[in-house]
Amino acid sequence: AQSVTQPDIHITVSEGASLELRCNYSYGATPYLFWYVQSPGQGLQLLLKYFSGDTLVQGIKGFEAEFKRSQSSFNLRKPSVHWSDAAEYFCAVVLGGYSSASKIIFGSGTRLSIRP
Amino acid sequence: EPEVTQTPSHQVTQMGQEVILRCVPISNHLYFYWYRQILGQKVEFLVSFYNNEISEKSEIFDDQFSVERPDGSNFTLKIRSTKLEDSAMYFCASYPEEVRGTQYFGPGTRLLVL
């Protein structure tokens, strides 16, 4: 079955340090890949997305992610985190082919805490 | 920038009561969705809706649930007889059917069933 795995439930990094959040997917073809961020009690904000082409995608708030087909991964990175980055991060896939109208499958999330 | 809106933001109800959660998708969008997130868990797909009918539903979306687009602008999720386990954040989303488009999420309705 198609799935998205985020192996890290909770990560704590120091402010100013670099960040990498891991995401692996299980699917026969290349899915559409997304990262969303959710601040406490808030909705879901799209950070970035990958459909095809350049495997390194840039998003909002200084985030980037790299698609690695050989590893079925789509890890999220940021060179220097800010206290405001503390939130829950969800990796997600859409399996609907050319159109991304199909349902989104979310990973279980990684909670990011920032150490002052 | 256009947004998906949801009302109410919070709802508290008694077990067994009916609730209707409302969403106003972005006006030129064609696909509509409901997702839910039980506290501390991941976001789960409930149902998608296109051309005035359900296009896909998950196993969570049983006979207790129904969706409707009553007037061309609102999109509602009805839970007929709420259970304690229906307590969750419910997100509405809409999608414009464009190349490399994405689903736009509303802010959510937090439902608490007592």
Side-chain angles (χ1 to χ4, degrees), chain B residues 21-40:
Chain B
L21 309 183
R22 291 183 168 80
C23 169
V24 179
I26 296 172
S27 63
N28 62 340
H29 287 193
L30 302 176
Y31 293 81
F32 314 109
Y33 311 81
W34 285 100
Y35 294 82
R36 79 170 185 191
Q37 184 185 30
I38 295 172
L39 187 64

Side-chain angles (χ1 to χ4, degrees), chain B:
Chain B
E1 185 175 334
E3 294 178 331
V4 176
T5 59
Q6 291 185 242
T7 54
S9 58
H10 294 79
Q11 180 147 5
V12 181
T13 190
Q14 296 292 322
M15 190 170 57
Q17 295 296 303
E18 174 183 286
V19 295
I20 297 176
L21 309 183
R22 291 183 168 80
C23 169
V24 179
I26 296 172
S27 63
N28 62 340
H29 287 193
L30 302 176
Y31 293 81
F32 314 109
Y33 311 81
W34 285 100
Y35 294 82
R36 79 170 185 191
Q37 184 185 30
I38 295 172
L39 187 64
Q41 298 186 24
K42 66 180 177 181
V43 180
E44 302 172 287
F45 167 78
L46 289 178
V47 65
S48 58
F49 191 85
Y50 173 73
N51 200 25
N52 282 321
E53 61 183 24
I54 290 174
S55 49
E56 186 177 2
K57 60 182 181 179
S58 72
E59 57 190 27
I60 302 169
F61 193 88
D62 60 22
D63 293 342
Q64 292 276 78
F65 294 90
S66 62
V67 289
E68 194 177 35
R69 188 155 161 81
D71 57 13
S73 62
N74 289 283
F75 179 52
T76 61
L77 174 69
K78 181 192 291 185
I79 310 175
R80 286 194 186 79
S81 178
T82 49
K83 307 185 191 98
L84 297 176
E85 54 264 37
D86 293 327
S87 295
M89 179 77 97
Y90 288 81
F91 293 105
C92 173
S94 67
Y95 173 75
E97 195 180 26
E98 62 189 22
V99 174
R100 302 190 174 193
T102 56
Q103 294 177 27
Y104 291 74
F105 283 83
T109 293
R110 183 167 295 285
L111 176 66
L112 178 60
V113 182
L114 302 176

